[in-house]
Amino acid sequence: SQTIHQWPATLVQPVGSPLSLECTVEGTSNPNLYWYRQAAGRGLQLLFYSVGIGQISSEVPQNLSASRPQDRQFILSSKKLLLSDSGFYLCAWRGSAYNSPLHFGNGTRLTVT
Amino acid sequence: GDSVTQMEGPVTLSEEAFLTINCTYTATGYPSLFWYVQYPGEGLQLLLKATKADDKGSNKGFEATYRKETTSFHLEKGSVQVSDSAVYFCALDTDKLIFGTGTRLQVFP
């Protein structure tokens, strides 16, 4: 069966420090991968999605970036964190078939201080 | 552009009460519609889905019917339990999923 792993679960980082969040999927190949952010009291904001290795689409201009170095690995990064980057970050995957549902990881709670 | 609008929460109910969480959408074409649930401290889980007009998705006692004429996909449950307390997200799927802002449900014994 397919599983998705996301780490770390919680992270506290100072303003201006770098960020790297990692997500891996097991049990499937060539998944579509997504990074969402959930800010307190707000809905889910799609940040990046990828339909293949090295293919990244950005939905919102910001100081974050994403990379997909391997088929089932998706990394969210920042060179310098801002206070406004605090939030709950969710990685998700789905198959390439039309209308496949999203499967989410357990999320990373990021607090920028 | 495509969008989803959900009723604001929190929705507070007593156990065994009837639940409705409203969801309407704006989309070109014929999107699929989903409800996801997020329990405290966790990621989202798919609750149910409907892929075409008049389809009814159902799971764990929850139901939602895809109403094209009213562009709605309201979530209902006849008798809620304390364990249903969570945040519920409506979403539509074109080439990527667009989520509503979520509705927090609190069920008290």
Side-chain angles (χ1 to χ4, degrees), chain B residues 47-95:
Chain B
L47 180 60
L48 54 83
K49 70 176 184 179
T51 57
K52 61 183 187 297
D54 300 324
D55 267 3
K56 177 185 284 188
S58 61
N59 185 25
K60 299 181 181 179
F62 291 90
E63 293 183 341
T65 301
Y66 189 159
R67 302 285 187 200
K68 189 172 183 295
E69 64 276 12
T70 55
T71 61
S72 65
F73 193 53
H74 304 322
L75 183 68
E76 297 181 335
K77 186 175 186 182
S79 176
V80 293
Q81 305 300 312
V82 172
S83 57
D84 293 326
S85 298
V87 181
Y88 292 82
F89 291 89
C90 185
L92 72 85
D93 188 9
T94 51
D95 58 345

Side-chain angles (χ1 to χ4, degrees), chain A residues 34 36 38 42-44 46 49 59 88 90 94 98-102 104-107, chain B residues 30 32 34 36 38 41-44 46 49 51 89 93-97 99-101:
Chain A
Y34 302 80
Y36 284 87
Q38 185 179 20
R42 301 173 70 176
L44 272 74
L46 178 61
Y49 69 97
E59 290 295 301
F88 192 50
L90 289 159
R94 66 174 172 176
Y98 182 66
N99 290 329
S100 297
L102 274 177
F104 284 84
N106 284 332
Chain B
Y30 302 95
S32 292
F34 299 82
Y36 283 81
Q38 184 180 31
E42 299 182 9
L44 278 71
L46 177 66
K49 70 176 184 179
T51 57
F89 291 89
D93 188 9
T94 51
D95 58 345
K96 50 184 182 282
L97 256 72
F99 287 85
T101 53

Side-chain angles (χ1 to χ4, degrees), chain B residues 9-45:
Chain B
V11 174
T12 304
L13 295 173
S14 298
E15 210 165 22
E16 299 183 2
F18 184 86
L19 168 71
T20 300
I21 299 178
N22 290 337
C23 171
T24 57
Y25 67 91
T26 302
T28 55
Y30 302 95
S32 292
L33 300 172
F34 299 82
W35 276 101
Y36 283 81
V37 58
Q38 184 180 31
Y39 298 103
E42 299 182 9
L44 278 71
Q45 303 173 26

